[in-house]
Amino acid sequence: MPILKIYHEKQTKQLCALHALNNLFQEHIYRKEELDNICTNLSPNVWINPHRSLLGLGNYDINVIMTALELKNCEAFWFDKRKDPSGIDLDSIVGFILNIPSDYKIGTITLPLRKRHWIAVRRIGQHYYNLDSKLRQPELLGTDSDVLQFLREQLGEKEQQHELFLVSYRNDCTGPSQRCMEESHDINKTTGST
């Protein structure tokens, strides 16, 4: 059995969106400069860009991620977490991007503020992996049923305010469901930020 090479960028600064995109595509596709250009194109002629951190260290919003995905002929759909993930057509999905709350820390001191963190999850070979850039290495999640359980756990904590986006190639979700879901479930494409 051949050993799988798994591309995994680790967290630097506030570039989790950048790492999530590159980990999702399993190669170094995007650089910070490209995501900064997307921010500028989304909101030209503004002094403070609403799509990234005030200091320009990253912390990109969903608009930047969706635009970056569109440049690679992909699109993201917001998953209604009131639904069960078992309705997701896993064969139509490139992968998942999760947005989860994260604590602000200065050294060992946790501040009473929360920021958002982007995580990629995708199938590589026959198994799914959590490609969170804060992990030392990719985390094996397992088979289809294992990834669905992982997603249930991520979305099940109401106070956690986790959000899930399904990523597909543009032409893969044009069948009867049109949105990578079985007909009994519905998701909405989002254009807002989190």
Side-chain angles (χ1 to χ4, degrees), residues 31-49:
R31 298 181 329 257
K32 180 183 182 304
E33 295 78 20
E34 292 164 313
L35 296 190
D36 286 340
N37 285 338
I38 290 172
C39 290
T40 301
N41 290 335
L42 287 171
S43 293
N45 305 318
V46 296
W47 191 68
I48 298 174
N49 194 293

Side-chain angles (χ1 to χ4, degrees), residues 136-156:
R136 286 183 45 220
Q137 61 188 28
E139 175 187 23
L140 173 65
L141 297 176
T143 62
D144 290 2
S145 61
D146 297 319
V147 77
L148 293 174
Q149 183 58 34
F150 171 80
L151 296 174
R152 274 186 209 99
E153 291 167 5
Q154 293 296 310
L155 299 174

Side-chain angles (χ1 to χ4, degrees), residues 7-65:
Y7 183 83
H8 182 241
E9 287 186 5
K10 294 183 183 170
Q11 185 75 23
T12 59
K13 300 179 185 169
Q14 295 177 351
L15 298 176
C16 57
L18 171 74
H19 303 314
L21 286 163
N22 288 338
N23 290 340
L24 180 76
F25 288 115
Q26 283 295 284
E27 62 181 295
H28 185 76
I29 290 180
Y30 286 107
R31 298 181 329 257
K32 180 183 182 304
E33 295 78 20
E34 292 164 313
L35 296 190
D36 286 340
N37 285 338
I38 290 172
C39 290
T40 301
N41 290 335
L42 287 171
S43 293
N45 305 318
V46 296
W47 191 68
I48 298 174
N49 194 293
H51 303 291
R52 66 176 174 219
S53 74
L54 181 63
L55 300 175
L57 300 175
N59 199 24
Y60 302 105
D61 71 8
I62 188 60
N63 298 294
V64 176
I65 290 173

